[in-house]
Structure formats: C-alpha cells, structure tokens
Amino acid sequence: MSRFLACGRRRAPSGIDRVEAAYAAQWLARGPAEVTFCARGPWGGYAALPHGLVADFAALLTHGWTGGPKAEATRQAAFRLGRKALMQATIGRGRSRLAQIMARERRTLFLLVSHRLMEKAEPIAALRDQGAAFIPLVHDLIPATHPEYARPGVAMQHLRRLETVASLASGIIVNSAATAAVLQPHLVRQANPPAVVVAPLGIDMPMPVPDRAVQPDGPYFVSIGTIEPRKNHLLLLHLWRDFAEKWGPAAPRLVLVGRRGWENENVLDLLERCTLLRGLVSEAGSLADPAVAGLLAGSRALLFPSFAEGYGLPLAEALAVGAPAICSDLPALREVGGDVPEYLDPLDGAGWRRMVLDYATPDSRARAAQQARMRGWSAPDWPCHFEAVDRLLDEVATHHAATLPLAPSRRPGAVMPTPDPVAARPLVLR
C-alpha cells in the first residue's frame, strides 16, 4: 500500500490511484483472514499494516475524491492517516508481524499493483526468500518504449522495474493485450517465464453532475489527462488557435481536465500567452468524478490524441456516459473502444481538424453514427477483472505450494502452535 497511502493530497484520483483503490476495496471486503496489507518506506523492508487502519484510510480517501463541501477536510484526514502509516512502516513497526505470518503460511502471495519502488528488487527478493510468490500488475512500459515522453531518469528506473518483474515474478497481471505483447520480450530471465493474465481495468462512473463553473455554453470538447508531451495537447491547441483565427467567439470550446505535468513548456506558453485561445480553451484542473462525468455527458466528444497508452481509462469513461470519442489509433485504445470511436493518427492534424469540425455541428452524421455504434459497447467492470486475477492467483498459489519444501513433521508428543484465526491464508497487498 506504499503508493496508495501517499495519495491523500490529491483532489482527484489518477488512473493508477483508481486501480489501487479498487484492489484495496476488493481485499478489504474479503477480510483479514485472506489478506495482510503491507507497506514500506524509502528504505528498509516491508511491514504489515493494521487492517482497520487501511479500511479507515480507504474510506476517507474515496469519500474525499467524490467532491462535496467536506471533501477537502476528508482528504486532509486521509493524508494524515496515510503519513502516519508510512512513518510506522519506515521505522519498522509491523515487520515482525509480517515475518510471523509468512513463517506460518505456505501459500503466501505478494501482490504489488503499482510501479512504486518496484525498481528496488532487494526487499521483494527478501519476501521471496521467506516463501512469498511475487505477482505484480504492470500498467504500461511507456517510459521504456517512449523515453522521450518521460521525465529525466524515469526510463532507466522503469527498465529496472521490468528487470525485477522478469527475474522475480511468479505471475503477472496486465491491463491489456497491448501491454502483454510489449512486455513479453522482457520475460527471458527465468527458465520458465511467469504466467501472464490480461485483466482489463474496470470503471465505476457516477451519475453525471453538471458543474457550471467548468462547463461552457455552446458546443464543446473535452480532453482528459495530465498535461505532458505524450498526451499531445499541442495538436489540440494549434487546432484551436486556427479555429480562433477563422471564427473567433463562434468557435467551439475545449476543456482540458487534468493537472499540469512535465516537459510541456510549449503547451503552457500557448495556454498562458496566446490571446486567441482565451475564452475558447479552459483548464479545469483536477475534478471530482461526478463533475467529469457531467462534463463528458454534455460534450460533443472526448478528444484523445495520445502518442502512447497502456490502457486508456478516459476513453472507457467517456463511452460509459454516452460521450462519443475521437482518439489515436493505438492498439490499447482499440481494445477499450472496439469499433465505436473515430480513430486517427496522432500526427494527422488535417484529419483531426475535419473530424472536430464535423462533430461540432448539431446535425453531424458521423457523431450520430458513433452514438448508434455505442449501443453495442459494454463498459469493462471490476468483477470481470478480479475473476481473471483470482484465476491467476489460484494457479500461482497451487504451483507455489507444490514447490515449497515439506512442512516439518509433527514429532510424537510435540505441541503444535495454535493457528491464528485471522490470518489463515494471507495475500500480501501493497
């Protein structure tokens, strides 16, 4: 839970935040007999966390992400609780309890569903040495395959994470077949490569709640994602600059949802200094899910011109509320959207221009056709995701138990320890 416990300051969840929240909810529902949550600080090994602490933190954080008048206070409470838990893990509180659990159990699985600290293989190897099978969730390989879009140093860091996966994993979860295909060449470190399961991420879209503070009058489009080079905001801003020159205030609006990221000086220069874009392009920042759903539901379309994606949650979220989508022609996005969206090359500026102008018109036939195709699309859900994950966990646990040395036989007259009823089959989750 190391990464998740540090999310208390965020006004709205990122994609990986949503995944960690879903996994926390899934295992909290199963109770302490099946899971031991753990975390580690920047140094040292993993430590067990009190089950109730994780439950309280998850409840506070997910409530704070829904918005409302008390959202900020709730997130602050989650932040304080998460910081306290991480500090306790850093100083070693809970390490002896984790060691006791792992010494008692024979089918222990270490499930890591974020990339955080995966580049540091030693603590994970230590858990393996104590008998735990390592099962990571790999979200994408973008920093390794597209280092030009990563912050300095992140590409090498991600390669080290992949090395940890390749050398230590007993099973691997991926969010798409596209991610699995890119990952496969890296899995050559073990004589018997780990099993890989494709488990598409679920979405839980709330009822749309229109927010007049961010929702423009007239036709508008929405782009969702951190403002960074990979998301290709520059294409959209150049299009809107052209629209502004030709039509002025009569041009459609563009709303950017997401925080400002890195390596984006050209985009920020346009947003802050281009007078033509004022009144036509707005930054909504991080929004609560109901407001995002309301913004999408009222839009002409989601615009998703990204250069690389491991999955593409914004596309699934748009289609789930009935918003059409115009997106890059990427394998991962085709997995999510099927034949519903309009797919374009992210470098085809003329194509994006034609499609946006078409969808902006009230009687757009292309938009109506996409809405008709949408009736055959179904949103990915978390129950299906966890069904696939559970099959992998059972497979790994069975194989893992068969490879462990036999338990010491009971000597005549020996007193066996009484099993702890609250930790019968832990699955360690971080």
Side-chain angles (χ1 to χ4, degrees):
M1 302 294 288
S2 308
R3 181 187 178 281
F4 192 51
L5 290 169
C7 292
R9 287 195 182 277
R10 297 190 178 180
R11 183 181 176 190
S14 67
I16 296 181
D17 296 342
R18 297 177 191 278
V19 173
E20 292 194 291
Y23 270 77
Q26 175 75 4
W27 291 106
L28 283 167
R30 297 193 184 188
E34 293 193 37
V35 59
T36 298
F37 294 95
C38 68
R40 63 176 290 249
W43 60 85
Y46 288 95
L49 300 171
H51 205 83
L53 183 150
V54 175
D56 291 344
F57 173 82
L60 287 168
L61 188 58
T62 52
H63 179 72
W65 280 340
T66 60
K70 296 184 179 180
E72 177 63 26
T74 305
R75 290 195 303 272
Q76 286 296 324
F79 170 75
R80 291 191 295 269
L81 187 59
R83 183 173 60 180
K84 174 184 176 182
L86 285 173
M87 289 177 63
Q88 290 178 350
T90 299
I91 64 175
R93 186 176 298 180
R95 289 183 194 169
S96 61
R97 176 170 172 262
L98 183 60
Q100 291 169 1
I101 291 170
M102 295 183 66
R104 182 175 61 238
E105 302 298 332
R106 286 183 52 77
R107 302 211 310 175
T108 305
L109 309 179
F110 174 47
L111 186 57
L112 175 57
V113 299
S114 80
H115 294 161
R116 184 182 175 102
L117 299 176
M118 197 187 289
E119 67 277 8
K120 298 182 179 180
E122 293 80 4
I124 298 173
L127 292 181
R128 281 220 346 163
D129 292 343
Q130 296 175 60
F134 173 44
I135 303 175
L137 194 164
V138 177
H139 293 266
D140 62 67
L141 285 80
I142 292 172
T145 59
H146 297 75
E148 64 274 22
Y149 300 133
R151 286 169 287 190
V154 172
M156 289 303 301
Q157 181 187 50
H158 209 63
L159 287 171
R160 290 194 296 271
R161 293 167 179 161
L162 296 175
E163 174 111 358
T164 301
V165 171
S167 60
L168 298 179
S170 299
I172 302 171
I173 307 163
V174 294
N175 52 14
S176 67
T179 299
V182 180
L183 175 64
Q184 203 63 47
H186 294 267
L187 304 181
V188 295
R189 294 293 303 274
Q190 301 185 51
N192 296 312
V196 178
V197 64
V198 176
L201 306 178
I203 57 170
D204 295 308
M205 289 301 288
M207 288 294 294
V209 177
D211 186 344
R212 299 308 305 173
V214 297
Q215 193 160 335
D217 295 324
Y220 67 90
F221 294 82
V222 179
S223 175
I224 299 177
T226 301
I227 299 176
E228 53 161 310
R230 178 172 62 89
K231 298 296 186 179
N232 203 13
H233 290 86
L234 199 58
L235 168 74
L236 300 180
L237 295 185
H238 281 305
L239 287 179
W240 252 263
R241 193 180 191 284
D242 180 60
F243 297 161
E245 286 182 335
K246 289 181 171 60
W247 296 291
R253 270 54 175 172
L254 173 64
V255 182
L256 306 180
V257 178
R259 64 184 178 85
R260 293 186 176 189
W262 52 88
E263 306 288 340
N264 52 19
E265 290 82 1
N266 291 339
V267 170
L268 298 186
D269 284 344
L270 281 168
L271 289 172
E272 294 174 355
R273 297 161 57 186
C274 181
T275 56
L276 286 171
L277 297 180
R278 293 174 187 169
L280 294 181
V281 177
S282 60
E283 290 184 80
S286 297
L287 295 177
D289 287 350
V292 173
L295 196 60
L296 285 169
S299 72
R300 302 303 294 170
L302 169 76
L303 303 182
F304 201 173
S306 181
F307 287 117
E309 290 294 335
Y311 185 64
L313 278 174
L315 174 57
E317 292 170 348
L319 298 181
V321 298
I326 305 171
C327 61
S328 292
D329 192 358
L330 302 175
L333 298 187
R334 282 192 176 270
E335 282 187 58
V336 173
D339 64 355
V340 176
E342 307 281 1
Y343 295 104
L344 293 169
D345 189 296
L347 294 176
D348 182 9
W352 283 87
R353 184 181 189 278
R354 287 192 301 271
M355 196 64 68
V356 168
L357 292 178
D358 185 322
Y359 272 57
T361 59
D363 57 349
S364 169
R365 292 185 179 181
R367 187 175 187 274
Q370 181 173 164
Q371 289 177 313
R373 295 194 299 270
M374 208 179 298
R375 289 194 286 269
W377 182 86
S378 57
D381 59 45
W382 285 114
C384 288
H385 174 91
F386 285 112
E387 284 179 13
V389 170
D390 282 343
R391 288 194 297 270
L392 176 69
L393 299 184
D394 288 340
E395 176 186 341
V396 171
T398 300
H399 179 267
H400 182 54
T403 61
L404 290 175
L406 294 175
S409 60
R410 182 174 178 178
R411 300 186 307 275
V415 178
M416 299 298 289
T418 303
D420 184 347
V422 300
R425 273 187 64 211
L427 182 138
V428 181
L429 170 66
R430 188 189 117 209

